[in-house]
Amino acid sequence: MAGGNNKELPGAAGDLAQQHPSIWAAYAALGEATADAGGLTIRERRLIKLALAIGASSEGAVHSHSRRGISEGIDAADLHQVALLAIGPLGLPRAVAAGTWISDVTKEK
C-alpha cells in the first residue's frame, strides 16, 4: 500500500489513486506509519496482511498481498500456508477459497 506509483495499481485502487491523489497519499502515509509502529519485519507484515485479507474474505486484498509477497521474495508455498492456517479459525470453505485466490496470483509466476 505505502508508496508505489499510482499508475501501477490495478483496478479500482488505481482509479481512486489517479482521481483523488491527495486521498491516496494520505492512505499511503497511514500505511507507512503503521508499518513503522513496531518491530515486525517486512515479511511478517506481509503475511499478517494476507491473513487479515483472508479473514475479511477480500479476494482483491488476497490477490494484492499475494502479488506483493511474491515480489518481495516470499515463496508461494508460504503464502499458501497462510490459507491452510485459516482452516481452524475461519473454516475449511473460507481457507479453500483463499487458497484459490492465492493460486490466481502464484500460477501467473
Side-chain angles (χ1 to χ4, degrees):
M1 169 191 40
N5 185 336
N6 296 350
K7 294 179 179 83
E8 295 174 3
L9 296 169
D15 293 344
L16 183 134
Q18 288 188 352
Q19 293 169 6
H20 303 283
S22 63
I23 292 172
W24 187 259
Y27 182 64
L30 176 61
E32 290 173 12
T34 60
D36 294 339
L40 296 175
T41 66
I42 292 170
R43 175 184 164 76
E44 290 166 337
R45 291 191 307 256
R46 181 64 56 218
L47 293 174
I48 290 167
K49 287 181 178 187
L50 176 59
L52 291 168
I54 291 169
S57 294
S58 177
E59 182 177 1
V62 170
H63 285 160
S64 175
H65 290 295
S66 297
R67 212 174 11 257
R68 293 171 76 182
I70 292 292
S71 73
E72 294 164 354
I74 298 174
D75 290 336
D78 294 340
L79 299 174
H80 282 281
Q81 185 179 5
V82 175
L84 294 174
L85 290 168
I87 293 171
L90 301 176
L92 185 65
R94 188 174 296 179
V96 169
T100 65
W101 299 338
I102 293 166
S103 290
D104 291 343
V105 172
T106 59
K107 286 184 180 177
E108 294 172 2
K109 302 297 173 196

